[in-house]
Amino acid sequence: MSAPRVLVVEHEKGTGPAQFGELLTAQGLDLHLCRPWDGDPVPKEPDGYDGLLVLGGSMGPYDVDRAPWLPTVCRLLRAAVARDLPTLGICLGMELLTVACGGKVRQAEHPEVGLCELAPLLPASRDELFAPLAQLDTPPCAVQWHWEETSVPPEGAVPLLTSARCAHQAYRIGTSVWGVQFHPEVLAGDIATWGTSDVGPLQALGLDPAAVVGHVAREERQLRTLWGGLAGRWAAVVTARRPAPPRD
């Protein structure tokens, strides 16, 4: 039997799947990277794939002039939701999932950048991906890098995580589709280039790019363990829910 196939949508150079890519591959998944920023066409349907991973980017979900492929990604996400296909939208990926399914995204009143605490909500304790976070003695931390956020989640979305500055940090649609506002896939080396390109916006928030990266670097071992576990659980969902091969 062939390996489960996952379509990975990358919106911008330097925003790849990072440690998630390594961990998912190690779990036996076959990743197919789609880079519309480099000319790759975005499929309108997830035919032939057992999972969908939609990554982040510096554009917003409504920035079609800058990223004209975004409406097609929204169509792809709607098709994934309709099939309850194992899906994970990260940061921009969550914002696109929100818009695709009838919710709303707005400019964040309090942008989050760097390492931030998350608070599991009650439904997280029964969620396949987030139940272990609800059992921690201390609040989990994750890397944030967003100036926009979900203001109105899609109808029926189950809230899973929140934070002091952003109400909707994670939700689930159906049984197999998740969106997260934070970046579980990145470590200090991944965001170093983000800090270089976003010097002005970070300074406007009173943040020093080097200090942000240094803070993440000091917590890297914990981040690898915490969010590497999430990657492993998502890989297990993709593998468990792939269709059975036809009988001869």
Side-chain angles (χ1 to χ4, degrees):
M1 188 174 181
S2 61
R5 302 174 76 242
V6 174
L7 177 63
V8 182
V9 181
E10 178 186 297
H11 295 283
E12 194 171 18
K13 186 177 182 180
T15 60
Q19 71 156 344
F20 256 49
E22 299 170 7
L23 294 167
L24 295 178
T25 299
Q27 289 288 321
L29 302 188
D30 181 13
L31 304 188
H32 293 245
L33 196 59
C34 174
R35 290 173 166 160
W37 60 269
D38 198 31
D40 292 344
V42 178
K44 296 179 181 179
E45 301 285 339
D47 295 339
Y49 292 101
D50 303 298
L52 173 63
L53 176 61
V54 182
L55 300 171
S58 60
M59 66 285 291
Y62 304 115
D63 291 340
V64 294
D65 291 340
R66 181 178 172 189
W69 59 84
L70 294 181
T72 307
V73 177
C74 285
R75 174 173 173 171
L76 177 65
L77 284 164
R78 282 193 295 272
V81 170
R83 303 180 188 194
D84 204 24
L85 181 78
T87 298
L88 180 62
I90 293 175
C91 200
L92 172 62
M94 174 183 177
E95 295 161 10
L96 289 168
L97 179 62
T98 295
V99 172
C101 296
K104 296 181 180 180
V105 171
R106 68 181 178 192
Q107 291 291 318
E109 295 182 13
H110 304 287
E112 293 178 307
V113 177
L115 211 57
C116 299
E117 286 189 355
L118 303 172
L121 300 170
L122 183 60
S125 65
R126 302 183 296 273
D127 185 80
E128 285 184 90
L129 294 194
F130 293 100
L133 274 67
Q135 299 168 7
L136 296 174
D137 294 330
T138 58
C141 289
V143 176
Q144 304 276 5
W145 207 282
H146 68 98
W147 279 259
E148 294 179 287
E149 63 185 8
T150 293
S151 57
V152 180
E155 184 177 356
V158 178
L160 299 170
L161 299 176
T162 187
S163 73
R165 290 190 169 191
C166 177
H168 307 292
Q169 286 286 354
Y171 62 67
R172 187 187 71 249
I173 299 174
T175 68
S176 305
V177 177
W178 289 269
V180 298
Q181 186 63 69
F182 54 96
H183 283 277
E185 83 283 16
V186 299
L187 299 169
D190 304 303
I191 66 169
T193 56
W194 302 1
T196 300
S197 61
D198 286 344
V199 171
L202 291 183
Q203 290 179 342
L205 296 175
L207 298 173
D208 172 56
V212 170
V213 175
H215 188 195
V216 173
R218 290 191 295 274
E219 301 297 329
E220 192 152 293
R221 179 178 296 181
Q222 178 183 351
L223 294 172
R224 282 185 182 275
T225 300
L226 186 64
W227 302 117
L230 182 80
R233 292 189 293 277
W234 190 72
V237 170
V238 173
T239 301
R241 297 187 185 173
R242 66 185 306 204
R247 295 183 177 181
D248 295 332

